[in-house]
Amino acid sequence: MEFIKNINAKETFLVRHLVLREGKPIESCHFNGDDLETTVHFGYFIDCDLIGVVSLFNSKNTNFISENQFQIRGMAILPLFQKQGIGKKLVSHCEEFLQNKKDSLIWFNAREKAVSFYEKLHFIKIGEPFIIADIGVHYLMKKMICNE
């Protein structure tokens, strides 16, 4: 059985560590804002095994004027389960979560190798690539979630 449910920040660390912070201390998996009440974390489970995570932060980026801004961070799927549509399901879950918030903007800093994945989900690149120290080349990406 596959399902997505809310999890806490610490539950994201194992997947974040294996996928995003391999070789770094587990403490590097804790992001500023992880424990805020406005931050939500979603886990993708197969049976009882957590195999994917994404976090959604209520965070403003000065590049955008939208009032309701949310940043995706820590999107990670265990390697054995990548390229099976799980990332798409987690991003869609974030979008559905925001459906009741008027005209929300989702933004994030995408790793260079993930840009094409997000473009298929109708996110657009903003500006030029930039380097995040010890991680690599990233692009700022965004998508409006408009409500009727």
Side-chain angles (χ1 to χ4, degrees):
M1 179 171 66
E2 299 179 21
F3 58 96
I4 296 172
K5 73 172 190 173
N6 287 50
I7 59 176
N8 65 46
K10 285 188 178 178
E11 290 175 287
T12 69
F13 292 2
L14 180 61
V15 178
R16 282 181 184 175
H17 192 246
L18 290 170
V19 178
L20 303 174
R21 298 288 194 262
E22 188 175 18
K24 295 184 170 77
I26 191 77
E27 296 80 24
S28 71
C29 296
H30 183 268
F31 301 155
N32 286 338
D34 262 344
D35 299 320
L36 294 174
E37 287 183 20
T38 56
T39 301
V40 292
H41 308 277
F42 301 113
Y44 190 96
F45 290 81
I46 296 179
D47 297 321
C48 293
D49 298 320
L50 179 62
I51 55 100
V53 297
V54 66
S55 300
L56 192 60
F57 293 72
N58 187 346
S59 177
K60 291 205 185 280
N61 182 314
T62 57
N63 289 294
F64 310 120
I65 59 171
S66 300
E67 188 64 30
N68 293 317
Q69 295 184 33
F70 298 87
Q71 180 185 15
I72 286 179
R73 293 193 69 194
M75 171 80 157
I77 311 298
L78 294 178
L80 183 63
F81 298 94
Q82 291 177 3
K83 302 195 184 307
Q84 297 179 25
I86 295 166
K88 179 180 180 179
K89 290 176 184 175
L90 282 169
V91 171
S92 293
H93 191 79
C94 289
E95 291 177 13
E96 290 168 17
F97 177 80
L98 295 176
Q99 282 300 314
N100 66 343
K101 301 197 184 310
K102 185 170 173 32
D103 297 332
S104 298
L105 175 108
I106 295 178
W107 69 274
F108 48 83
N109 299 319
R111 291 171 186 238
E112 186 174 38
K113 67 181 183 179
V115 167
S116 64
F117 164 78
Y118 290 113
E119 286 177 330
K120 289 176 189 168
L121 300 177
H122 309 289
F123 287 87
I124 58 171
K125 288 190 291 190
I126 306 297
E128 298 298 316
F130 58 94
I131 304 286
I132 295 181
D134 299 324
I135 299 175
V137 177
H138 283 69
Y139 287 85
L140 177 61
M141 298 189 80
K142 73 167 188 169
K143 181 179 183 179
M144 284 298 300
I145 309 297
C146 299
N147 320 56
E148 296 301 320

